[in-house]
Amino acid sequence: MGLLVNGVWQQQSLEELSKNGNFVKPDAAFKNWVTADGSAGPTGVGGFKAEKGRYHLVVSYACPWASRTLVMRVLKDLEDIVSLSVVNPLMLEQGWTFEAGDKVVADPIMGADYLHQLYTLSNPDYTGRVSVPILWDKKTGQIVSNESADIMRMFNSAFNDLTGNQVDYYPESLREQIEQMNEWIYTTFNQGVYKAGMASSQSAYEKAVTDVFETMEKLNQLFTKQTYLLGDKVTEADWRLFTTLVRFDAVYYGHFKCNLKRLVDFPNLWNYTKRLYHQPKIADTVHLDHVKIHYYGSHRHINPTGIVPLGPDIDWSL
């Protein structure tokens, strides 16, 4: 792990990301928005108009936060509108890198070796974490946003006139319910698995694991009555949940010690995950080889040998 301080790369320990033994996810630093007409979004400043070929998305196939932007990119048919780079799954001394490897897509902006070089290209004096995803503006030469939740919503609506894809995953009529669902799932599950895996005290770990499995039990019961989180319509909330679920048995069960049960032991929740996985183009965003290499290979404070397990063998058939 690492961060930039006044534009200089520095290493950062796990303990520096913890408070009283609890893992704390840092806030995003870049909060501008791409909008259909270039006006300012809910945060940041204006000037980022939706245009074909102007924006570039950098993701890790391993990262659940980055992967939800990748999911929205394909759902909204933005593959030819917003270009893509993919970092190497290993994140070691220099953080995320573009070191050549299977499925790595090099940086076309400056031919960067390391992701932190794009951060300092955008802001030479930047101080903060260097994370994926980032949405880059080729026209102005800067990062628009590194907040995955915001990028999802930009992709959901800003480019509709360019693609003709009017499917809305954040409809006005459901926004209050979506926000409530997002808050619950983020706190207890999306973030909960990290709180468990990165915990530096037994009490913090046990609290996090309890929250994770209470949430999975409630979700499993919910899907006895309905198809998706808010009924029969897929929304943003489902995709925010999906990117954690799809990694659960591969890494969170073992590597993050969330091992009371596997996802496949919750039949309704497992079938829900597979329904989402089999929606058009979604399976192509899931690369569990990158997921396992990243978690088991990068988190040397948890897995000092860096050995990546061969299993589990997951059957995604419906």
Side-chain angles (χ1 to χ4, degrees):
M1 295 182 181
L3 77 165
L4 287 163
V5 177
N6 295 323
V8 179
W9 178 255
Q10 297 185 11
Q11 287 294 100
Q12 184 180 44
S13 68
L14 173 64
E15 288 72 22
E16 292 173 283
L17 290 176
S18 300
K19 183 177 181 179
N20 299 323
N22 295 285
F23 174 76
V24 179
K25 183 178 182 291
D27 293 333
F30 297 87
K31 299 279 287 182
N32 296 309
W33 288 68
V34 176
T35 56
D37 61 1
S39 59
T43 57
V45 299
F48 301 98
K49 182 180 179 180
E51 300 174 17
K52 182 177 181 178
R54 176 172 173 175
Y55 300 99
H56 185 76
L57 180 68
V58 183
V59 302
S60 163
Y61 286 143
C63 173
W65 318 103
S67 289
R68 59 193 192 179
T69 68
L70 191 60
V71 165
M72 194 62 74
R73 177 176 175 266
V74 301
L75 287 173
K76 295 294 294 188
D77 300 322
L78 294 173
E79 297 96 318
D80 295 329
I81 304 292
V82 178
S83 53
L84 181 73
S85 286
V86 180
V87 296
N88 192 288
L90 277 177
M91 186 182 69
L92 299 171
E93 290 81 7
Q94 292 290 333
W96 295 111
T97 80
F98 293 98
E99 182 178 347
D102 184 42
K103 303 186 188 78
V104 174
V105 181
D107 163 54
I109 306 301
M110 60 178 295
D113 295 315
Y114 312 118
L115 184 64
H116 63 71
Q117 292 172 307
L118 290 177
Y119 274 73
T120 53
L121 180 63
S122 180
N123 178 1
D125 298 318
Y126 173 73
T127 294
R129 291 292 310 286
V130 173
S131 61
V132 286
I134 64 169
L135 185 64
W136 183 271
D137 179 12
K138 301 175 189 177
K139 186 173 182 178
T140 62
Q142 62 181 302
I143 296 172
V144 178
S145 176
N146 66 340
E147 172 49 67
S148 62
D150 294 351
I151 296 172
M152 284 186 78
R153 291 184 181 171
M154 294 177 216
F155 287 176
N156 178 60
S157 62
F159 298 88
N160 287 0
D161 291 343
L162 297 177
T163 65
N165 184 330
Q166 301 296 323
V167 178
D168 188 1
Y169 295 95
Y170 188 56
E172 182 75 37
S173 61
L174 293 176
R175 287 184 182 178
E176 183 176 352
Q177 293 170 265
I178 289 171
E179 294 292 355
Q180 292 172 353
M181 188 65 72
N182 285 347
E183 177 64 23
W184 171 49
I185 289 173
Y186 173 83
T187 302
T188 64
F189 191 65
N190 298 138
Q191 184 77 326
V193 294
Y194 276 85
K195 290 176 182 177
M198 300 289 190
S200 56
S201 75
Q202 186 69 30
S203 60
Y205 161 74
E206 291 183 7
K207 172 64 167 62
V209 167
T210 299
D211 287 346
V212 165
F213 283 94
E214 285 181 353
T215 299
M216 295 178 79
E217 292 283 3
K218 290 177 182 178
L219 290 169
N220 194 57
Q221 287 299 311
L222 179 69
F223 295 128
T224 65
K225 300 178 292 185
Q226 59 198 59
T227 307
Y228 300 109
L229 286 172
L230 298 177
D232 60 359
K233 180 181 176 60
V234 179
T235 69
E236 164 196 292
D238 293 291
W239 297 114
R240 287 170 57 126
L241 172 59
F242 171 77
T243 57
T244 300
L245 288 173
V246 81
R247 289 160 171 76
F248 195 87
D249 286 359
V251 293
Y252 301 141
Y253 177 85
H255 185 59
F256 276 1
K257 307 179 188 71
C258 295
N259 58 1
L260 296 180
K261 289 184 179 180
R262 301 167 299 164
L263 173 59
V264 297
D265 296 323
F266 296 90
N268 301 318
L269 186 56
W270 174 227
N271 287 333
Y272 161 84
T273 305
K274 290 190 290 182
R275 283 196 299 274
L276 292 173
Y277 178 87
H278 283 281
Q279 293 209 12
K281 301 191 284 190
I282 296 303
D284 292 337
T285 71
V286 179
H287 300 277
L288 291 182
D289 53 344
H290 270 225
V291 171
K292 293 199 298 182
I293 289 169
H294 168 68
Y295 282 90
Y296 285 101
S298 303
H299 298 164
R300 298 299 173 88
H301 54 286
I302 300 175
N303 185 37
T305 64
I307 292 173
V308 179
L310 293 177
D313 185 11
I314 301 174
D315 181 3
W316 291 99
S317 60
L318 288 171

